[in-house]
Amino acid sequence: MKSEGILEKAVDGGLLPDANGKDPNPGGQTEGSKWQKPRLTRKSLMKCCLVKWIIASTTQQGPDSCDGDLELSMVRHQPEGLDQLQAQTKFTRKELQSLYRGFKNECPSGLVDEETFKSIYSQFFPQGDATMYAHFLFNAFDMDRSGSIRFEDFVIGLSVLLRGSVPEKLRWAFNLYDINKDGYITKEEMMAIMTSIYDMMGRYTLPSVRDESPYEHVERFFQKMDRNRDGVVTIDEFIETCQKDENIMASMQLFENVI
């Protein structure tokens, strides 16, 4: 069995049930073009935990009649204009409105903190410990290291992850792995991220996780990525290697199941 086997399973949609123990992909449907639909619907985006969180909030509040610009009243941090965000992302106007309503319902201050991220992932991955993964993911969204994430940062990041080009997604993944943001990925950083993902998946991971699985995964990936053998992986090495290796590209899709 290849060490990437656990990650390749994610591409088949057979990796995890949802928080209620149900198959997140009933009927055996593949993700495919559903991720490319221009409307924010449960069917198209429901695999993204952060979108599930927002949609659930919006649904609980019931439909509202806000079809105009983003509502800015009662929010301490006011996001950029709707037109500007639409130009910066691959979301439609109505998608941005839906995302913002849910974001505002959950975070009335207009900012989301790390504890909120931990709460979100503990809900969707109760079978494991999501604390460290939520920490790393929060830091990837918190680009200015302010300790909080604005709606703009949140939605721009989601746009890349859900609808970005392959190079855009790889750059985002590199930023996640580059924990200290020094422009390089070390084995220790990659090991920390992979371990946090395995810990979060817990007992529902298929195939069963062995203690050495994260280590084997990192060793195999690092051997391919560190092309000049200097002990670190640069963003150019990362993107070039990923794009040329089908196994790595398949494995990178794991992030679409844990975002």
mmCIF file with all atom_site columns, all heavy atoms in Angstrom, residues 211-231:
data_model
loop_
_atom_site.group_PDB
_atom_site.id
_atom_site.type_symbol
_atom_site.label_atom_id
_atom_site.label_alt_id
_atom_site.label_comp_id
_atom_site.label_asym_id
_atom_site.label_entity_id
_atom_site.label_seq_id
_atom_site.pdbx_PDB_ins_code
_atom_site.Cartn_x
_atom_site.Cartn_y
_atom_site.Cartn_z
_atom_site.occupancy
_atom_site.B_iso_or_equiv
_atom_site.pdbx_formal_charge
_atom_site.auth_seq_id
_atom_site.auth_comp_id
_atom_site.auth_asym_id
_atom_site.auth_atom_id
_atom_site.pdbx_PDB_model_num
ATOM 1   N N   . ASP A 1 211 ? 0.482  4.534  13.291  1.00 0.00 ? 211 ASP A N   1
ATOM 2   C CA  . ASP A 1 211 ? 1.224  5.620  13.933  1.00 0.00 ? 211 ASP A CA  1
ATOM 3   C C   . ASP A 1 211 ? 2.273  6.222  13.009  1.00 0.00 ? 211 ASP A C   1
ATOM 4   O O   . ASP A 1 211 ? 2.565  7.416  13.073  1.00 0.00 ? 211 ASP A O   1
ATOM 5   C CB  . ASP A 1 211 ? 1.897  5.114  15.212  1.00 0.00 ? 211 ASP A CB  1
ATOM 6   C CG  . ASP A 1 211 ? 0.897  4.821  16.314  1.00 0.00 ? 211 ASP A CG  1
ATOM 7   O OD1 . ASP A 1 211 ? -0.236 5.329  16.224  1.00 0.00 ? 211 ASP A OD1 1
ATOM 8   O OD2 . ASP A 1 211 ? 1.255  4.082  17.255  1.00 0.00 ? 211 ASP A OD2 1
ATOM 9   N N   . GLU A 1 212 ? 2.843  5.389  12.144  1.00 0.00 ? 212 GLU A N   1
ATOM 10  C CA  . GLU A 1 212 ? 3.917  5.871  11.278  1.00 0.00 ? 212 GLU A CA  1
ATOM 11  C C   . GLU A 1 212 ? 3.414  6.467  9.966   1.00 0.00 ? 212 GLU A C   1
ATOM 12  O O   . GLU A 1 212 ? 4.203  6.950  9.153   1.00 0.00 ? 212 GLU A O   1
ATOM 13  C CB  . GLU A 1 212 ? 4.898  4.731  10.969  1.00 0.00 ? 212 GLU A CB  1
ATOM 14  C CG  . GLU A 1 212 ? 4.300  3.544  10.226  1.00 0.00 ? 212 GLU A CG  1
ATOM 15  C CD  . GLU A 1 212 ? 3.774  2.484  11.179  1.00 0.00 ? 212 GLU A CD  1
ATOM 16  O OE1 . GLU A 1 212 ? 3.438  2.823  12.335  1.00 0.00 ? 212 GLU A OE1 1
ATOM 17  O OE2 . GLU A 1 212 ? 3.711  1.320  10.769  1.00 0.00 ? 212 GLU A OE2 1
ATOM 18  N N   . SER A 1 213 ? 2.105  6.445  9.726   1.00 0.00 ? 213 SER A N   1
ATOM 19  C CA  . SER A 1 213 ? 1.562  6.925  8.446   1.00 0.00 ? 213 SER A CA  1
ATOM 20  C C   . SER A 1 213 ? 1.924  8.369  8.131   1.00 0.00 ? 213 SER A C   1
ATOM 21  O O   . SER A 1 213 ? 2.371  8.661  7.016   1.00 0.00 ? 213 SER A O   1
ATOM 22  C CB  . SER A 1 213 ? 0.048  6.733  8.416   1.00 0.00 ? 213 SER A CB  1
ATOM 23  O OG  . SER A 1 213 ? -0.289 5.372  8.390   1.00 0.00 ? 213 SER A OG  1
ATOM 24  N N   . PRO A 1 214 ? 1.732  9.328  9.059   1.00 0.00 ? 214 PRO A N   1
ATOM 25  C CA  . PRO A 1 214 ? 2.120  10.708 8.730   1.00 0.00 ? 214 PRO A CA  1
ATOM 26  C C   . PRO A 1 214 ? 3.601  10.820 8.390   1.00 0.00 ? 214 PRO A C   1
ATOM 27  O O   . PRO A 1 214 ? 3.975  11.536 7.454   1.00 0.00 ? 214 PRO A O   1
ATOM 28  C CB  . PRO A 1 214 ? 1.774  11.482 10.011  1.00 0.00 ? 214 PRO A CB  1
ATOM 29  C CG  . PRO A 1 214 ? 0.722  10.668 10.673  1.00 0.00 ? 214 PRO A CG  1
ATOM 30  C CD  . PRO A 1 214 ? 1.084  9.244  10.378  1.00 0.00 ? 214 PRO A CD  1
ATOM 31  N N   . TYR A 1 215 ? 4.450  10.104 9.130   1.00 0.00 ? 215 TYR A N   1
ATOM 32  C CA  . TYR A 1 215 ? 5.894  10.160 8.871   1.00 0.00 ? 215 TYR A CA  1
ATOM 33  C C   . TYR A 1 215 ? 6.216  9.631  7.477   1.00 0.00 ? 215 TYR A C   1
ATOM 34  O O   . TYR A 1 215 ? 6.993  10.249 6.727   1.00 0.00 ? 215 TYR A O   1
ATOM 35  C CB  . TYR A 1 215 ? 6.643  9.346  9.927   1.00 0.00 ? 215 TYR A CB  1
ATOM 36  C CG  . TYR A 1 215 ? 8.125  9.210  9.654   1.00 0.00 ? 215 TYR A CG  1
ATOM 37  C CD1 . TYR A 1 215 ? 9.007  10.243 9.982   1.00 0.00 ? 215 TYR A CD1 1
ATOM 38  C CD2 . TYR A 1 215 ? 8.637  8.062  9.069   1.00 0.00 ? 215 TYR A CD2 1
ATOM 39  C CE1 . TYR A 1 215 ? 10.366 10.135 9.716   1.00 0.00 ? 215 TYR A CE1 1
ATOM 40  C CE2 . TYR A 1 215 ? 9.998  7.937  8.799   1.00 0.00 ? 215 TYR A CE2 1
ATOM 41  C CZ  . TYR A 1 215 ? 10.853 8.978  9.128   1.00 0.00 ? 215 TYR A CZ  1
ATOM 42  O OH  . TYR A 1 215 ? 12.194 8.856  8.852   1.00 0.00 ? 215 TYR A OH  1
ATOM 43  N N   . GLU A 1 216 ? 5.625  8.494  7.116   1.00 0.00 ? 216 GLU A N   1
ATOM 44  C CA  . GLU A 1 216 ? 5.884  7.906  5.796   1.00 0.00 ? 216 GLU A CA  1
ATOM 45  C C   . GLU A 1 216 ? 5.404  8.832  4.690   1.00 0.00 ? 216 GLU A C   1
ATOM 46  O O   . GLU A 1 216 ? 6.061  8.986  3.652   1.00 0.00 ? 216 GLU A O   1
ATOM 47  C CB  . GLU A 1 216 ? 5.191  6.552  5.687   1.00 0.00 ? 216 GLU A CB  1
ATOM 48  C CG  . GLU A 1 216 ? 5.799  5.478  6.573   1.00 0.00 ? 216 GLU A CG  1
ATOM 49  C CD  . GLU A 1 216 ? 5.023  4.173  6.501   1.00 0.00 ? 216 GLU A CD  1
ATOM 50  O OE1 . GLU A 1 216 ? 3.978  4.150  5.814   1.00 0.00 ? 216 GLU A OE1 1
ATOM 51  O OE2 . GLU A 1 216 ? 5.461  3.197  7.124   1.00 0.00 ? 216 GLU A OE2 1
ATOM 52  N N   . HIS A 1 217 ? 4.262  9.446  4.902   1.00 0.00 ? 217 HIS A N   1
ATOM 53  C CA  . HIS A 1 217 ? 3.714  10.377 3.916   1.00 0.00 ? 217 HIS A CA  1
ATOM 54  C C   . HIS A 1 217 ? 4.664  11.560 3.706   1.00 0.00 ? 217 HIS A C   1
ATOM 55  O O   . HIS A 1 217 ? 4.967  11.935 2.564   1.00 0.00 ? 217 HIS A O   1
ATOM 56  C CB  . HIS A 1 217 ? 2.357  10.882 4.396   1.00 0.00 ? 217 HIS A CB  1
ATOM 57  C CG  . HIS A 1 217 ? 1.736  11.895 3.493   1.00 0.00 ? 217 HIS A CG  1
ATOM 58  N ND1 . HIS A 1 217 ? 0.923  11.562 2.441   1.00 0.00 ? 217 HIS A ND1 1
ATOM 59  C CD2 . HIS A 1 217 ? 1.832  13.251 3.475   1.00 0.00 ? 217 HIS A CD2 1
ATOM 60  C CE1 . HIS A 1 217 ? 0.530  12.660 1.818   1.00 0.00 ? 217 HIS A CE1 1
ATOM 61  N NE2 . HIS A 1 217 ? 1.055  13.692 2.437   1.00 0.00 ? 217 HIS A NE2 1
ATOM 62  N N   . VAL A 1 218 ? 5.129  12.145 4.783   1.00 0.00 ? 218 VAL A N   1
ATOM 63  C CA  . VAL A 1 218 ? 6.013  13.297 4.693   1.00 0.00 ? 218 VAL A CA  1
ATOM 64  C C   . VAL A 1 218 ? 7.339  12.908 4.039   1.00 0.00 ? 218 VAL A C   1
ATOM 65  O O   . VAL A 1 218 ? 7.856  13.642 3.186   1.00 0.00 ? 218 VAL A O   1
ATOM 66  C CB  . VAL A 1 218 ? 6.257  13.906 6.093   1.00 0.00 ? 218 VAL A CB  1
ATOM 67  C CG1 . VAL A 1 218 ? 7.371  14.948 6.040   1.00 0.00 ? 218 VAL A CG1 1
ATOM 68  C CG2 . VAL A 1 218 ? 4.972  14.541 6.620   1.00 0.00 ? 218 VAL A CG2 1
ATOM 69  N N   . GLU A 1 219 ? 7.899  11.782 4.417   1.00 0.00 ? 219 GLU A N   1
ATOM 70  C CA  . GLU A 1 219 ? 9.171  11.342 3.828   1.00 0.00 ? 219 GLU A CA  1
ATOM 71  C C   . GLU A 1 219 ? 9.047  11.173 2.321   1.00 0.00 ? 219 GLU A C   1
ATOM 72  O O   . GLU A 1 219 ? 9.915  11.611 1.557   1.00 0.00 ? 219 GLU A O   1
ATOM 73  C CB  . GLU A 1 219 ? 9.624  10.033 4.469   1.00 0.00 ? 219 GLU A CB  1
ATOM 74  C CG  . GLU A 1 219 ? 10.183 10.180 5.874   1.00 0.00 ? 219 GLU A CG  1
ATOM 75  C CD  . GLU A 1 219 ? 11.476 10.988 5.910   1.00 0.00 ? 219 GLU A CD  1
ATOM 76  O OE1 . GLU A 1 219 ? 12.348 10.763 5.038   1.00 0.00 ? 219 GLU A OE1 1
ATOM 77  O OE2 . GLU A 1 219 ? 11.608 11.853 6.789   1.00 0.00 ? 219 GLU A OE2 1
ATOM 78  N N   . ARG A 1 220 ? 7.966  10.549 1.879   1.00 0.00 ? 220 ARG A N   1
ATOM 79  C CA  . ARG A 1 220 ? 7.784  10.328 0.449   1.00 0.00 ? 220 ARG A CA  1
ATOM 80  C C   . ARG A 1 220 ? 7.599  11.649 -0.292  1.00 0.00 ? 220 ARG A C   1
ATOM 81  O O   . ARG A 1 220 ? 8.204  11.870 -1.343  1.00 0.00 ? 220 ARG A O   1
ATOM 82  C CB  . ARG A 1 220 ? 6.583  9.413  0.217   1.00 0.00 ? 220 ARG A CB  1
ATOM 83  C CG  . ARG A 1 220 ? 6.357  9.048  -1.241  1.00 0.00 ? 220 ARG A CG  1
ATOM 84  C CD  . ARG A 1 220 ? 5.136  8.152  -1.386  1.00 0.00 ? 220 ARG A CD  1
ATOM 85  N NE  . ARG A 1 220 ? 5.375  6.845  -0.823  1.00 0.00 ? 220 ARG A NE  1
ATOM 86  C CZ  . ARG A 1 220 ? 5.885  5.818  -1.510  1.00 0.00 ? 220 ARG A CZ  1
ATOM 87  N NH1 . ARG A 1 220 ? 6.193  5.975  -2.788  1.00 0.00 ? 220 ARG A NH1 1
ATOM 88  N NH2 . ARG A 1 220 ? 6.060  4.648  -0.937  1.00 0.00 ? 220 ARG A NH2 1
ATOM 89  N N   . PHE A 1 221 ? 6.752  12.516 0.253   1.00 0.00 ? 221 PHE A N   1
ATOM 90  C CA  . PHE A 1 221 ? 6.522  13.795 -0.387  1.00 0.00 ? 221 PHE A CA  1
ATOM 91  C C   . PHE A 1 221 ? 7.781  14.655 -0.400  1.00 0.00 ? 221 PHE A C   1
ATOM 92  O O   . PHE A 1 221 ? 8.091  15.293 -1.391  1.00 0.00 ? 221 PHE A O   1
ATOM 93  C CB  . PHE A 1 221 ? 5.391  14.542 0.344   1.00 0.00 ? 221 PHE A CB  1
ATOM 94  C CG  . PHE A 1 221 ? 4.034  14.248 -0.214  1.00 0.00 ? 221 PHE A CG  1
ATOM 95  C CD1 . PHE A 1 221 ? 3.743  13.008 -0.755  1.00 0.00 ? 221 PHE A CD1 1
ATOM 96  C CD2 . PHE A 1 221 ? 3.037  15.204 -0.201  1.00 0.00 ? 221 PHE A CD2 1
ATOM 97  C CE1 . PHE A 1 221 ? 2.488  12.717 -1.266  1.00 0.00 ? 221 PHE A CE1 1
ATOM 98  C CE2 . PHE A 1 221 ? 1.769  14.934 -0.706  1.00 0.00 ? 221 PHE A CE2 1
ATOM 99  C CZ  . PHE A 1 221 ? 1.493  13.690 -1.238  1.00 0.00 ? 221 PHE A CZ  1
ATOM 100 N N   . PHE A 1 222 ? 8.485  14.686 0.711   1.00 0.00 ? 222 PHE A N   1
ATOM 101 C CA  . PHE A 1 222 ? 9.656  15.557 0.808   1.00 0.00 ? 222 PHE A CA  1
ATOM 102 C C   . PHE A 1 222 ? 10.752 15.096 -0.157  1.00 0.00 ? 222 PHE A C   1
ATOM 103 O O   . PHE A 1 222 ? 11.468 15.913 -0.738  1.00 0.00 ? 222 PHE A O   1
ATOM 104 C CB  . PHE A 1 222 ? 10.187 15.586 2.238   1.00 0.00 ? 222 PHE A CB  1
ATOM 105 C CG  . PHE A 1 222 ? 10.668 16.946 2.658   1.00 0.00 ? 222 PHE A CG  1
ATOM 106 C CD1 . PHE A 1 222 ? 9.793  17.871 3.200   1.00 0.00 ? 222 PHE A CD1 1
ATOM 107 C CD2 . PHE A 1 222 ? 11.989 17.313 2.495   1.00 0.00 ? 222 PHE A CD2 1
ATOM 108 C CE1 . PHE A 1 222 ? 10.215 19.136 3.579   1.00 0.00 ? 222 PHE A CE1 1
ATOM 109 C CE2 . PHE A 1 222 ? 12.439 18.568 2.872   1.00 0.00 ? 222 PHE A CE2 1
ATOM 110 C CZ  . PHE A 1 222 ? 11.549 19.480 3.407   1.00 0.00 ? 222 PHE A CZ  1
ATOM 111 N N   . GLN A 1 223 ? 10.886 13.792 -0.314  1.00 0.00 ? 223 GLN A N   1
ATOM 112 C CA  . GLN A 1 223 ? 11.886 13.263 -1.230  1.00 0.00 ? 223 GLN A CA  1
ATOM 113 C C   . GLN A 1 223 ? 11.625 13.744 -2.656  1.00 0.00 ? 223 GLN A C   1
ATOM 114 O O   . GLN A 1 223 ? 12.555 14.034 -3.415  1.00 0.00 ? 223 GLN A O   1
ATOM 115 C CB  . GLN A 1 223 ? 11.890 11.738 -1.186  1.00 0.00 ? 223 GLN A CB  1
ATOM 116 C CG  . GLN A 1 223 ? 12.998 11.100 -2.022  1.00 0.00 ? 223 GLN A CG  1
ATOM 117 C CD  . GLN A 1 223 ? 13.025 9.592  -1.871  1.00 0.00 ? 223 GLN A CD  1
ATOM 118 O OE1 . GLN A 1 223 ? 12.098 9.003  -1.326  1.00 0.00 ? 223 GLN A OE1 1
ATOM 119 N NE2 . GLN A 1 223 ? 14.085 8.965  -2.343  1.00 0.00 ? 223 GLN A NE2 1
ATOM 120 N N   . LYS A 1 224 ? 10.352 13.838 -3.005  1.00 0.00 ? 224 LYS A N   1
ATOM 121 C CA  . LYS A 1 224 ? 10.007 14.307 -4.343  1.00 0.00 ? 224 LYS A CA  1
ATOM 122 C C   . LYS A 1 224 ? 10.134 15.820 -4.475  1.00 0.00 ? 224 LYS A C   1
ATOM 123 O O   . LYS A 1 224 ? 10.550 16.329 -5.518  1.00 0.00 ? 224 LYS A O   1
ATOM 124 C CB  . LYS A 1 224 ? 8.568  13.894 -4.683  1.00 0.00 ? 224 LYS A CB  1
ATOM 125 C CG  . LYS A 1 224 ? 8.358  12.399 -4.832  1.00 0.00 ? 224 LYS A CG  1
ATOM 126 C CD  . LYS A 1 224 ? 6.900  12.096 -5.139  1.00 0.00 ? 224 LYS A CD  1
ATOM 127 C CE  . LYS A 1 224 ? 6.661  10.605 -5.318  1.00 0.00 ? 224 LYS A CE  1
ATOM 128 N NZ  . LYS A 1 224 ? 5.235  10.300 -5.602  1.00 0.00 ? 224 LYS A NZ  1
ATOM 129 N N   . MET A 1 225 ? 9.771  16.550 -3.421  1.00 0.00 ? 225 MET A N   1
ATOM 130 C CA  . MET A 1 225 ? 9.695  18.004 -3.524  1.00 0.00 ? 225 MET A CA  1
ATOM 131 C C   . MET A 1 225 ? 11.033 18.710 -3.339  1.00 0.00 ? 225 MET A C   1
ATOM 132 O O   . MET A 1 225 ? 11.292 19.723 -3.987  1.00 0.00 ? 225 MET A O   1
ATOM 133 C CB  . MET A 1 225 ? 8.695  18.540 -2.489  1.00 0.00 ? 225 MET A CB  1
ATOM 134 C CG  . MET A 1 225 ? 7.258  18.184 -2.779  1.00 0.00 ? 225 MET A CG  1
ATOM 135 S SD  . MET A 1 225 ? 6.149  18.837 -1.487  1.00 0.00 ? 225 MET A SD  1
ATOM 136 C CE  . MET A 1 225 ? 4.574  18.250 -2.090  1.00 0.00 ? 225 MET A CE  1
ATOM 137 N N   . ASP A 1 226 ? 11.870 18.204 -2.439  1.00 0.00 ? 226 ASP A N   1
ATOM 138 C CA  . ASP A 1 226 ? 13.152 18.856 -2.160  1.00 0.00 ? 226 ASP A CA  1
ATOM 139 C C   . ASP A 1 226 ? 14.147 18.471 -3.247  1.00 0.00 ? 226 ASP A C   1
ATOM 140 O O   . ASP A 1 226 ? 15.038 17.652 -3.051  1.00 0.00 ? 226 ASP A O   1
ATOM 141 C CB  . ASP A 1 226 ? 13.662 18.432 -0.778  1.00 0.00 ? 226 ASP A CB  1
ATOM 142 C CG  . ASP A 1 226 ? 14.940 19.166 -0.400  1.00 0.00 ? 226 ASP A CG  1
ATOM 143 O OD1 . ASP A 1 226 ? 15.279 20.173 -1.056  1.00 0.00 ? 226 ASP A OD1 1
ATOM 144 O OD2 . ASP A 1 226 ? 15.595 18.719 0.561   1.00 0.00 ? 226 ASP A OD2 1
ATOM 145 N N   . ARG A 1 227 ? 14.028 19.099 -4.384  1.00 0.00 ? 227 ARG A N   1
ATOM 146 C CA  . ARG A 1 227 ? 14.761 18.675 -5.568  1.00 0.00 ? 227 ARG A CA  1
ATOM 147 C C   . ARG A 1 227 ? 16.261 18.950 -5.484  1.00 0.00 ? 227 ARG A C   1
ATOM 148 O O   . ARG A 1 227 ? 17.065 18.219 -6.041  1.00 0.00 ? 227 ARG A O   1
ATOM 149 C CB  . ARG A 1 227 ? 14.162 19.337 -6.801  1.00 0.00 ? 227 ARG A CB  1
ATOM 150 C CG  . ARG A 1 227 ? 12.657 19.116 -6.879  1.00 0.00 ? 227 ARG A CG  1
ATOM 151 C CD  . ARG A 1 227 ? 12.043 19.671 -8.120  1.00 0.00 ? 227 ARG A CD  1
ATOM 152 N NE  . ARG A 1 227 ? 12.339 18.801 -9.259  1.00 0.00 ? 227 ARG A NE  1
ATOM 153 C CZ  . ARG A 1 227 ? 11.721 18.922 -10.431 1.00 0.00 ? 227 ARG A CZ  1
ATOM 154 N NH1 . ARG A 1 227 ? 10.813 19.853 -10.606 1.00 0.00 ? 227 ARG A NH1 1
ATOM 155 N NH2 . ARG A 1 227 ? 12.019 18.118 -11.430 1.00 0.00 ? 227 ARG A NH2 1
ATOM 156 N N   . ASN A 1 228 ? 16.653 20.005 -4.795  1.00 0.00 ? 228 ASN A N   1
ATOM 157 C CA  . ASN A 1 228 ? 18.090 20.294 -4.677  1.00 0.00 ? 228 ASN A CA  1
ATOM 158 C C   . ASN A 1 228 ? 18.691 19.776 -3.376  1.00 0.00 ? 228 ASN A C   1
ATOM 159 O O   . ASN A 1 228 ? 19.850 20.034 -3.068  1.00 0.00 ? 228 ASN A O   1
ATOM 160 C CB  . ASN A 1 228 ? 18.360 21.797 -4.807  1.00 0.00 ? 228 ASN A CB  1
ATOM 161 C CG  . ASN A 1 228 ? 17.695 22.611 -3.706  1.00 0.00 ? 228 ASN A CG  1
ATOM 162 O OD1 . ASN A 1 228 ? 17.009 22.043 -2.842  1.00 0.00 ? 228 ASN A OD1 1
ATOM 163 N ND2 . ASN A 1 228 ? 17.891 23.917 -3.731  1.00 0.00 ? 228 ASN A ND2 1
ATOM 164 N N   . ARG A 1 229 ? 17.872 19.036 -2.605  1.00 0.00 ? 229 ARG A N   1
ATOM 165 C CA  . ARG A 1 229 ? 18.338 18.366 -1.389  1.00 0.00 ? 229 ARG A CA  1
ATOM 166 C C   . ARG A 1 229 ? 18.982 19.327 -0.381  1.00 0.00 ? 229 ARG A C   1
ATOM 167 O O   . ARG A 1 229 ? 19.990 19.006 0.257   1.00 0.00 ? 229 ARG A O   1
ATOM 168 C CB  . ARG A 1 229 ? 19.340 17.249 -1.738  1.00 0.00 ? 229 ARG A CB  1
ATOM 169 C CG  . ARG A 1 229 ? 18.761 16.165 -2.640  1.00 0.00 ? 229 ARG A CG  1
ATOM 170 C CD  . ARG A 1 229 ? 17.672 15.397 -1.908  1.00 0.00 ? 229 ARG A CD  1
ATOM 171 N NE  . ARG A 1 229 ? 17.154 14.289 -2.685  1.00 0.00 ? 229 ARG A NE  1
ATOM 172 C CZ  . ARG A 1 229 ? 16.055 14.312 -3.423  1.00 0.00 ? 229 ARG A CZ  1
ATOM 173 N NH1 . ARG A 1 229 ? 15.339 15.431 -3.488  1.00 0.00 ? 229 ARG A NH1 1
ATOM 174 N NH2 . ARG A 1 229 ? 15.650 13.258 -4.096  1.00 0.00 ? 229 ARG A NH2 1
ATOM 175 N N   . ASP A 1 230 ? 18.371 20.500 -0.217  1.00 0.00 ? 230 ASP A N   1
ATOM 176 C CA  . ASP A 1 230 ? 18.913 21.449 0.763   1.00 0.00 ? 230 ASP A CA  1
ATOM 177 C C   . ASP A 1 230 ? 18.142 21.414 2.077   1.00 0.00 ? 230 ASP A C   1
ATOM 178 O O   . ASP A 1 230 ? 18.370 22.230 2.966   1.00 0.00 ? 230 ASP A O   1
ATOM 179 C CB  . ASP A 1 230 ? 18.928 22.864 0.197   1.00 0.00 ? 230 ASP A CB  1
ATOM 180 C CG  . ASP A 1 230 ? 17.531 23.410 -0.110  1.00 0.00 ? 230 ASP A CG  1
ATOM 181 O OD1 . ASP A 1 230 ? 16.561 22.619 -0.045  1.00 0.00 ? 230 ASP A OD1 1
ATOM 182 O OD2 . ASP A 1 230 ? 17.413 24.603 -0.444  1.00 0.00 ? 230 ASP A OD2 1
ATOM 183 N N   . GLY A 1 231 ? 17.209 20.481 2.202   1.00 0.00 ? 231 GLY A N   1
ATOM 184 C CA  . GLY A 1 231 ? 16.495 20.306 3.458   1.00 0.00 ? 231 GLY A CA  1
ATOM 185 C C   . GLY A 1 231 ? 15.242 21.127 3.613   1.00 0.00 ? 231 GLY A C   1
ATOM 186 O O   . GLY A 1 231 ? 14.543 21.008 4.625   1.00 0.00 ? 231 GLY A O   1
#
